[in-house]
């Protein structure tokens, strides 16, 4: 179920339906449903996404997941809380524009996507390619998955060497556009994209180590 039929909501609806899921979309403006694909076969409900009757009409009691992606932070977080606390839906995510508020709600156990922060990270990655981009944090905010740029000096070394140097784990690689789960013998290749799982309070250290040339060993 999706609350908000803007460009994000309409894109989500199409992607989910293309993958074989049944989708319901809620928006208080019936004109917003024009953004949906002409062949959209899901349920379109006009109303407020945090209103219990509207949610029931949209089928929340049978829903597997709920995404609140309207233009309003307050509406998104209120809807996410109602869906989780009243209807017991575990798979809930809310889009939040204010990154500071997103951190607070994340700590409360409500997964959020901070739109402004994500966009800023993507721009910075193109301006300053050496660094890290946050990709995921657990509900406590303590565990972080990040894409980390790696100095060319690490190329040709086993991933276990990177893990030993940083104390972090290489969760996976993107190699020639494909995801690769590393093994104990996987070696870093040129142009690999490295995704690192680590404690959030160590991210600066991990980034500093991997974006610098490895220490010379005798």
């Amino acid at each position: 179920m999706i609350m908000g039929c803007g460009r994000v909501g309409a894109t989500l609806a199409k992607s989910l339906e293309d993958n074989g899921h049944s989708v319901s979309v809620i928006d208080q403006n019936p004109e917003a449903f024009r953004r949906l694909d002409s062949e959209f076969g899901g349920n379109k409900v006009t109303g407020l996404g945090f209103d219990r009757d509207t949610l029931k009409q949209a089928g929340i009691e049978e829903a597997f997941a709920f995404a609140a992606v309207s233009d309003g932070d307050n509406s998104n977080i209120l809807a996410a809380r109602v869906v989780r606390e009243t209807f017991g839906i575990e798979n809930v995510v809310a889009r939040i524009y204010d990154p500071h508020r997103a951190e607070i709600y994340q700590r409360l156990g409500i997964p959020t996507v901070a739109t402004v922060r994500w966009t800023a990270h993507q721009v910075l990655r193109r301006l300053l390619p050496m660094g890290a981009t946050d990709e995921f944090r657990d509900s406590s905010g303590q565990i972080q998955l990040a894409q980390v740029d790696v100095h060319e000096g690490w190329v040709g070394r086993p991933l276990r060497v990177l893990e030993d140097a940083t104390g972090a784990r290489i969760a996976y690689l993107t190699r020639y556009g494909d995801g690769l789960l590393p093994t104990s013998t996987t070696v870093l290749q040129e142009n690999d994209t490295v995704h690192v799982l680590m404690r959030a309070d160590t991210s600066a250290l991990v980034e500093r180590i991997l974006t610098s040339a490895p220490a010379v060993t005798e």
Side-chain angles (χ1 to χ4, degrees):
M1 184 173 297
I2 299 167
M3 175 188 127
C5 196
R7 283 174 291 192
V8 173
T11 300
L12 279 174
K14 176 173 172 51
S15 296
L16 288 167
E17 194 169 63
D18 286 349
N19 281 281
H21 298 284
S22 298
V23 183
S24 288
V25 182
I26 301 171
D27 200 290
Q28 58 183 326
N29 179 10
E31 296 297 315
F33 298 125
R34 293 183 177 181
R35 295 189 178 93
L36 293 170
D37 188 85
S38 59
E39 298 180 355
F40 177 72
N43 194 15
K44 295 176 282 189
V45 177
T46 301
L48 297 173
F50 49 80
D51 177 76
R52 290 171 175 78
D53 290 337
T54 300
L55 288 166
K56 288 180 180 179
Q57 182 183 348
I60 191 63
E61 292 169 320
E62 290 79 40
F64 175 76
F66 179 84
V69 293
S70 76
D71 290 334
D73 283 7
N74 290 335
S75 296
N76 287 342
I77 202 63
L78 178 58
R81 293 191 65 178
V82 169
V83 167
R84 170 165 283 186
E85 297 169 11
T86 302
F87 296 98
I89 306 300
E90 295 184 1
N91 299 307
V92 174
V93 64
R95 181 174 71 170
I96 303 294
Y97 286 91
D98 184 339
H100 300 294
R101 297 173 73 184
E103 288 182 0
I104 294 171
Y105 293 123
Q106 192 80 26
R107 293 193 188 102
L108 292 175
I110 300 174
T112 60
V113 176
T115 305
V116 173
R117 174 180 293 163
W118 184 88
T119 303
H121 278 157
Q122 295 303 307
V123 172
L124 283 172
R125 174 160 289 279
R126 286 155 179 78
L127 293 175
L128 306 169
M130 293 300 286
T133 298
D134 205 350
E135 295 183 315
F136 172 80
R137 295 201 183 202
D138 78 313
S139 59
S140 72
Q142 296 177 2
I143 304 300
Q144 175 183 4
L145 177 67
Q147 178 182 324
V148 181
D149 290 310
V150 177
H151 190 279
E152 61 183 10
W154 294 98
V155 172
R157 302 192 179 211
L159 294 185
R160 65 175 184 275
V161 174
L162 282 69
E163 294 181 334
D164 290 343
T166 60
R169 295 182 182 178
I170 309 302
Y172 68 100
L173 302 175
T174 303
R175 179 173 290 172
Y176 302 119
D178 294 325
L180 173 66
L181 289 176
T183 68
S184 59
T185 60
T186 302
V187 172
L188 185 69
Q189 295 184 9
E190 188 176 3
N191 297 322
D192 281 352
T193 301
V194 180
H195 305 266
V196 182
L197 192 63
M198 57 194 161
R199 289 189 58 85
D201 57 8
T202 68
S203 61
L205 174 62
V206 172
E207 178 183 342
R208 186 164 61 250
I209 292 172
L210 292 182
T211 56
S212 302
V216 177
T217 57
E218 297 296 335

